[in-house]
Amino acid sequence: MKTKRITTISMLTAISVVIAIIESYFTFLNGIVPGLKLGLANIIIVFALYNYDFKTSLLISVMRVIIVSLVRTGFGLNFFFSLGGAIFSIVAMSLVKKTKLSIVGVSVVGSVFHGIGQVLVGSIILNNHYVIYYLPYLLLLSIPTGVLIGIIAKRILSYDILKLMNNEKK
Amino acid sequence: MNKSDVKIVVIIILLAGFSYIIFNLVKENGNTAFVYYEDKIILTIDLNINKEYVVQGLLGDVVIEVKDKNIRVKEESSPKHLCSLQGYTDSSSKPIICLPNKIVIKVGGGDDIDGVVY
Amino acid sequence: MKKKVYIIVLSIILICLILLFVDKNTYKEYSKDFYYMDTYINVKLNSIKNKSEVDAIFEDIDYLYSSYHKLTDRYTSYDGIINVYYLNEVLPDGQEVIIDERLADIISLGIEYYNKTDGLFNIAAGNLIEVWKEFIDECNFLPDDSDLNVNIDINDIILEKDTYVKNNNIKLDLGAVAKGYVTELVGNYLEDSGIYSYVINAGGNVKVGKAYDKESFVIGITDPSNPSTIFTKVNVNNKSVVTSGNYQRYCVLDNINYNHIINPKTRYPVSDKMAVTVVGNSSTISDIYSTYLYILPVEDGLELVNSNPDIEAIWYIDEKTIVRSDNFNYE
C-alpha cells in the first residue's frame, strides 16, 4: 500500500511537472499579466484532491513547484510567486470541495485563488501594492482556465484510473 | 456543472467587474511615470518626451523606453524577459512589474501636473 | 441542459468583457506628438469631436509647425522656400528679396521687441550666437574678444512689407521667438476650431486653454538645480508658461557655466541667475519675455514685471534665492 502510494504520488508529480514545463513555453498571456500561467498542472491537483486527500495533493503541488523551479525557473522570486499561488489554490479548493459545487466549480475557485495568491505574494515581495491592479484580469481569466481544468479533471476521474491500474496488475 | 457552479462564476465576474470599475475610478492617466525599486521611487519620467532611460535592477540594467505617451521596458536582464514582453502601458491601472529585477513602473500624474516647463 | 448552462456562462463572460472595454465617455482626451524646431511638441486636448475630426485638426497643427519650422530654420535649406538659412547664407548683401509674409511677420515682431527691450532682445544676433554655440558644443577654447566682435546690428536688416534686404553679412536667429510664436498660432487655431481645453507643450514652452474637468491646469516648473524634479507649480487657464534657463544647453569650463542665452550688450552668456519663468496671456510674449528677463538684471526685471499686469514671473537665482513678481501668487 505504501509503495503504491509513493509510486502514484511520484507519477502524478511527474505528470504535473511535465505539464507545467510545457506550459512555461507558452508566453502569450504575458501581454495581459506578467508571469501569468494557465495553471494546467492544476488538472493533476484537482484529480488528486478528488481521488486522494488534501495532504496528498498539497504534497504533489509543493513538489511540483520545487521541481519546476529546480529545472527551469530557479529559486528566484518566481518560486515564491508560484508557491503562493499553489498553496492558496489548494487550500481554497479543499475548503469548497465539501459544498454543493461540482468539480468544475471547485476548479474555478482554485484558479481564482491561484491568481489571488500570486498577487498577494507579489505585493509582499515587491512591498508595493500596485500589483493588485492585476486582480480584475486575473479573476476574469481564471474562469475559462478553471472551467477547462475542471472539465479535463472530470474526464480523467471518470476513467477510474485506479481500477485500470489494478486490472493491469492481475 | 451545476447551479452553484454557475453562481460562483457569476460572483467572480461581478467581483472582477467591480474591482475593475473601482480601479478605473482611482486610476490616473498621467503624463508622468514613476519607476520604483521595491517601494522606493528611483526615477520620475516625463511621458511627453520620447526618450530612453536606464535604471539598475536587481539583476542588472533595465532599459525603459517612452514613446508617444506610452512607456515600456525595452530590454532587461532577467531569465524570461517577462516585463519587456508586457509591452506598453499608459495608465496606472496597468503597471509594469519586473519581478526578478524588483522594478515596478507606474504611470500617474503624481500631483496631477498637466505639463512641465523647462 | 448542460450545454445550455455553458452557453449562458460564456455569453455572460463575453458581455462583461465587451462592457469593460466600451468607452462611455463622450468627452475624450486626444494627444499627439510632433518633432519640429529641435524639440518634441505634444498637443493634448479634450473634445467631444470624434477621432477623424481631431485627426484632421492634428494634421493642420502638424502643417503649421512644419511650415514655420522650415521658414525659421537657419541650418537647412528647403527646395523652393526662402527661409532664414537662405537669408543668412545665400542672399548677398544689398540684394532685395521678397519673403513669405509669415516670415516677415516674425521678423518685424522681432524688430519691434528689439526697440521695446532696448536692444536686449535681438533677432539679428545670429553671428554672435553662432560663435557661442560652437564653443558650447566643443567646450574647450573660450572665444576671445576678436571672435566675439561680429556684426549684430539690427539696423543692417531692412524689412519693408515683404521686401528684405541685409547688409554687412548680418545673420538672423529666430530661436528665441519662433517656438512661442507658432505655439500661439496653434492655440488660436484650436480655439477657432472650437477646442478650448488643450495643453500644448512645445519643448517646455507650454500654452494651455481652459481646463474642463477641473479648476485649472497645473504646470510644473523644473528645478534648475535638479532638472528631473520641479520646484513649484502654477495653476492656470488660458495662459502661456515659458522658462529660459541655463541648464538646457551649456558648457562648464573652469567652474564657470556658459549657457546658450547671450546678452547682446556684453556679448557674453548671462550668468547671474539659473532660470526665469514667465506666465503670460500670449505664448509669443511669454517666450520673448522669458529671454528678455533672463538677460535683464533681476531688480530691473522685477520692476518691469510689477508694472505690467499682463505678465507674471519667477526668478530662480540659485538654490536659496527665488524671487517672485508681485502677482505671481500660486500655492
Side-chain angles (χ1 to χ4, degrees), chain B residues 18-85:
Chain B
F18 270 127
S19 48
Y20 183 85
I21 289 164
I22 289 167
F23 291 151
N24 261 293
L25 285 179
V26 299
K27 95 170 172 187
E28 310 156 48
N29 250 357
N31 34 27
T32 311
F34 300 95
V35 182
Y36 293 80
Y37 181 81
E38 291 187 322
D39 58 341
K40 283 180 282 293
I41 295 183
I42 54 169
L43 183 65
T44 310
I45 294 174
D46 182 355
L47 293 184
N48 291 315
I49 300 159
N50 294 3
K51 202 179 155 184
E52 274 183 23
Y53 304 84
V54 181
V55 295
Q56 275 294 119
L58 186 66
L59 302 178
D61 285 351
V62 177
V63 181
I64 298 164
E65 185 191 35
V66 176
K67 206 178 162 204
D68 301 334
K69 306 267 290 170
N70 281 261
I71 190 163
R72 68 159 174 166
V73 170
K74 196 182 175 194
E75 283 164 41
E76 73 199 288
S77 24
S78 81
K80 291 209 264 176
H81 303 286
L82 284 186
C83 59
S84 45
L85 280 169

Side-chain angles (χ1 to χ4, degrees), chain A residues 82-96:
Chain A
S82 309
L83 195 65
I87 292 174
F88 257 74
S89 122
I90 206 158
V91 170
M93 283 197 287
S94 69
L95 287 178
V96 295

Side-chain angles (χ1 to χ4, degrees), chain B residues 1 6 9-10 13 17 20 31 44 48-50 68-69 111-118, chain C residues 5-6 16 20 33 42 44 201 203-204 206 214 217-220 222 230 241 243 247-248:
Chain B
M1 211 165 172
V6 178
V9 167
V10 171
I13 293 175
Y20 183 85
N31 34 27
T44 310
N48 291 315
I49 300 159
N50 294 3
D68 301 334
K69 306 267 290 170
D111 305 314
D112 201 21
I113 285 175
D114 299 293
V116 176
V117 287
Y118 45 84
Chain C
V5 174
Y6 283 130
C16 285
L20 287 181
D33 286 322
N42 173 258
K44 192 166 61 183
N201 193 339
V206 175
K214 52 186 172 184
F217 285 116
V218 183
I219 308 300
T222 298
I230 62 169
V241 188
T243 294
Y247 52 92
Q248 284 285 321

Side-chain angles (χ1 to χ4, degrees), chain B residues 32 109-117, chain C residues 214 216-223 229-236 241 243 277 279 312-314 316 322 324 327-331:
Chain B
T32 311
D111 305 314
D112 201 21
I113 285 175
D114 299 293
V116 176
V117 287
Chain C
K214 52 186 172 184
S216 57
F217 285 116
V218 183
I219 308 300
I221 300 175
T222 298
D223 184 346
T229 61
I230 62 169
F231 77 94
T232 190
K233 293 175 283 188
V234 295
N235 310 307
V236 285
V241 188
T243 294
T277 299
V279 181
E312 305 158 27
I314 182 166
Y316 188 104
I322 290 165
R324 291 171 169 79
N327 50 6
F328 192 98
N329 298 312
Y330 298 97
E331 289 165 285

Side-chain angles (χ1 to χ4, degrees), chain A residues 57-69:
Chain A
S57 37
L58 182 67
L59 188 64
I60 295 172
S61 190
V62 172
M63 294 228 301
R64 184 203 81 213
V65 172
I66 294 174
I67 294 171
V68 171
S69 301

Side-chain angles (χ1 to χ4, degrees), chain A residues 29-30 42 80 94 121 134 147:
Chain A
L29 285 171
N30 284 319
N42 255 354
F80 295 100
S94 69
V121 173
Y134 286 117
V147 170

Side-chain angles (χ1 to χ4, degrees), chain C residues 40-74:
Chain C
Y40 284 101
I41 300 158
N42 173 258
V43 178
K44 192 166 61 183
L45 49 94
N46 289 297
S47 175
I48 41 175
K49 290 187 193 297
N50 63 35
K51 195 171 178 306
S52 60
E53 288 173 300
V54 173
D55 279 343
I57 288 172
F58 280 145
E59 248 169 62
D60 290 346
I61 293 174
D62 188 276
Y63 172 75
L64 270 174
Y65 273 114
S66 87
S67 51
Y68 275 95
H69 164 79
K70 286 177 186 163
L71 285 173
T72 59
D73 193 334
R74 61 172 290 200

